[in-house]
Amino acid sequence: MLVHIKEIIMRAQRGGYAIGAFNTQDLEITLAIVQAAVAQRSPVIIQVSESAIKYASLKAITHIVQTIAKNQADGIPVALHLDHGKSFLSVSECVKAGFSSIHIDGSDLPFDENINLTKESVAYAHKRNVWAQGELGTILGKEGLIKIEKRELEIKDCFTDPALAAKFAQATKVDTFAMSIGNMHGMFVGLEQLDLARLKKIHAKVKLPLVLHGASGVEHGEIKKAIKLGVHIVNIDTEMRQAWATALRRTLQADKKEIDLRKILAPATAAVQAVVEEKMKVFGSSGKV
Ligand code: G3H
Ligand code: 13P
Ligand code: ZN
């Protein structure tokens, strides 16, 4: 069943667990996420990025998620969210399409410009009963790491400053807050160590559900500690993509004559479902429906 994100996040806050926000761009990955949620009796956030929207079209991906949530989720709450919206236009289009939550990511902008863009997006969303996520600090990924390798940047330069986070949250009125504390987009096993002391300071100053982006590659014990320190949304994409691609390559290799798309894709969909189910157990959302 499609629900407003606030219903599942407020319950997660009260229960001390986190909800997984899993990326989709098509029918199969959406089915994998929803089947995992049903198997685990877990609430779930399904999110789409701007590039996923470009790939599938906003109308098609919205309808796929809404229809599956309504008809195939066996009563499990599913919330639809925009991931890393970079412009007011992205935000307003997703709000109009029926999303209950949007992420306005102004983290590349100077502090004041980030505040202005976020404020404008939050005001638009709130008028239409939609939650908004803001972001401060640079979440590293491939590009950022190259800068670090070239010594143009220190990892800690990118981390979210707790005092600025408090100022940002107060000025923008966001509902959830995404920060950089050592988490990175992509899989960088061993390198993604969370600065839990910094998270504790952010949690003390920003009284909002916190969002851990880039959680693929972050050690499960670290994620569990972060959940105890106020993280209630955990974003996962890369580990699902890796599982999907590995299974698909294996299937194609094993039977070079098979041409039925559904048979070829089934093991890849199942591999993604397994990743999502494992994460739901780690986040503590399993059995919460
Ligand atoms: O953090 C970003 C997500 O992994 C989505 O990536 O823009 O390639 O869809 P994407
Ligand atoms: P990963 O690809 O590292 O799991 O990050 C996903 C994410 O943060 C989506 O916003
Ligand atoms: Zn992200």
Side-chain angles (χ1 to χ4, degrees):
M1 117 185 109
L2 195 73
V3 298
H4 195 293
I5 198 170
K6 72 180 161 199
E7 286 179 30
I8 56 179
I9 297 307
M10 286 164 92
R11 277 196 66 198
Q13 258 189 312
R14 288 195 294 272
Y17 58 93
I19 305 291
F22 301 96
N23 288 76
T24 191
Q25 59 275 297
D26 65 1
L27 172 68
E28 283 74 21
I29 302 299
T30 308
L31 281 173
I33 298 167
V34 170
Q35 283 161 8
V38 171
Q40 290 299 317
R41 309 302 302 166
S42 167
V44 70
I45 298 166
I46 299 185
Q47 58 186 5
V48 291
S49 66
E50 287 179 344
S51 47
I53 289 170
K54 198 169 164 199
Y55 171 78
S57 91
L58 180 58
K59 207 164 190 171
I61 195 65
T62 305
H63 283 244
I64 286 171
V65 175
Q66 288 177 338
T67 303
I68 293 175
K70 187 173 167 205
N71 300 299
Q72 282 155 268
D74 194 26
I76 298 291
V78 177
L80 177 57
H81 171 74
L82 167 67
D83 185 33
H84 294 285
K86 290 283 186 185
S87 68
F88 179 78
L89 183 65
S90 284
V91 165
S92 57
E93 284 180 343
C94 290
V95 168
K96 282 184 215 151
F99 289 40
S100 66
S101 174
I102 54 88
H103 173 200
I104 178 69
D105 176 7
S107 61
D108 290 342
L109 301 172
F111 185 68
D112 288 343
E113 288 175 38
N114 186 0
I115 286 190
N116 290 340
L117 174 64
T118 306
K119 243 171 123 169
E120 187 190 17
S121 306
V122 171
Y124 182 87
H126 282 179
K127 252 191 216 149
R128 291 151 184 89
N129 187 32
V130 169
W131 263 23
Q133 180 183 134
E135 178 170 329
L136 185 68
T138 304
I139 298 172
L140 290 173
K142 244 185 171 147
E143 259 176 57
L145 281 175
I146 289 165
K147 284 190 186 161
I148 284 169
E149 275 158 19
K150 286 189 191 157
R151 305 254 174 253
E152 286 169 30
L153 217 63
E154 289 288 327
I155 287 191
K156 291 222 167 190
D157 292 343
C158 308
F159 288 4
T160 306
D161 179 279
L164 288 180
K167 222 170 145 184
F168 177 86
Q170 203 184 22
T172 59
K173 308 274 183 288
V174 287
D175 303 284
T176 60
F177 179 70
M179 72 262 142
S180 169
I181 52 164
N183 44 320
M184 298 174 185
H185 284 123
M187 285 279 275
F188 301 97
V189 180
L191 211 56
E192 296 191 62
Q193 269 140 19
L194 302 184
D195 184 344
L196 295 169
R198 183 180 297 264
L199 174 58
K200 203 169 179 178
K201 284 185 197 151
I202 295 171
H203 182 43
K205 287 179 183 287
V206 179
K207 304 283 179 202
L208 295 173
L210 301 176
V211 186
L212 186 70
H213 278 252
S216 293
V218 179
E219 211 253 305
H220 286 168
E222 293 281 287
I223 295 181
K224 285 183 182 169
K225 285 180 198 160
I227 292 170
K228 287 210 173 88
L229 294 170
V231 165
H232 292 294
I233 299 176
V234 182
N235 284 16
I236 297 282
D237 190 6
T238 303
E239 282 190 55
M240 296 159 68
R241 291 181 181 192
Q242 285 191 344
W244 184 86
T246 304
L248 184 60
R249 285 194 185 99
R250 193 175 301 134
T251 309
L252 289 170
Q253 197 62 34
D255 185 350
K256 297 208 166 95
K257 293 211 175 87
E258 182 59 67
I259 58 161
D260 184 335
L261 175 148
R262 294 156 300 188
K263 288 185 185 152
I264 291 170
L265 291 181
T269 306
V272 173
Q273 180 178 337
V275 169
V276 175
E277 286 197 46
E278 186 197 13
K279 297 299 175 188
M280 286 168 165
K281 289 181 201 160
V282 172
F283 304 161
S285 64
S286 290
K288 293 296 193 292
V289 178

